[in-house]
Amino acid sequence: HVQLVESGGGSVQAGGSLRLSCVVSGLSLGSASVGWFRQGVGKEREGVAAIWTASGNTYLTDSVMGRFTIARDNDKTTVFLQMNNLKPEDTARYYCAAGPDPYTVIAGNLRADFPYWGQGTQVTVS
């Protein structure tokens, strides 16, 4: 049984930082894809970042490049999304997703075809 649990969301002022965590159980992170998606009120879901843990290859959407980073911890159980210089437009509910196959990017967009999803954590930037 695969379970993803996100944490680390909250309310911050513009320019601040947050670190989101996604603890994954039931799926080895030695070779897996973990992605972060977000959805704001009245907006479509957007792929923000992803990592293919077997190679360390990462993806970041253009709007967060230079501000967000994605990384896996050494114990291979948690993936972090470090978010710096947050902007009001980053306000959304952030979801962690995972799967055993490499993530897919089409036309610059991260595909949401991950089989496992968490419940999300809210990020509010004012």
Side-chain angles (χ1 to χ4, degrees):
H1 176 64
V2 179
Q3 188 172 16
L4 283 67
V5 179
E6 304 100 328
S7 63
S11 297
V12 295
Q13 292 188 337
S17 298
L18 286 173
R19 188 175 77 159
L20 304 185
S21 299
C22 176
V23 177
V24 180
S25 59
L27 177 69
S28 171
L29 290 189
S31 179
S33 283
V34 179
W36 286 96
F37 294 79
R38 66 186 180 186
Q39 188 165 18
V41 175
K43 297 182 180 180
E44 293 186 356
R45 183 175 56 190
E46 175 188 23
V48 176
I51 185 169
W52 170 238
T53 61
S55 65
N57 285 351
T58 61
Y59 162 88
L60 292 170
T61 193
D62 286 348
S63 63
V64 307
M65 200 80 69
R67 301 188 297 123
F68 291 12
T69 56
I70 184 170
R72 183 198 66 189
D73 74 334
N74 290 331
D75 290 337
K76 300 180 181 179
T77 60
T78 305
V79 170
F80 301 103
L81 183 67
Q82 178 67 42
M83 306 186 296
N84 298 327
N85 190 21
L86 282 160
K87 302 177 180 181
E89 51 263 43
D90 295 318
T91 295
R93 190 165 185 84
Y94 284 70
Y95 298 88
C96 177
D101 299 317
Y103 63 82
T104 304
V105 176
I106 295 181
N109 297 313
L110 179 66
R111 284 181 56 89
D113 53 356
F114 291 80
Y116 310 110
W117 290 77
Q119 294 300 308
T121 184
Q122 179 68 33
V123 172
T124 302
V125 186
S126 59

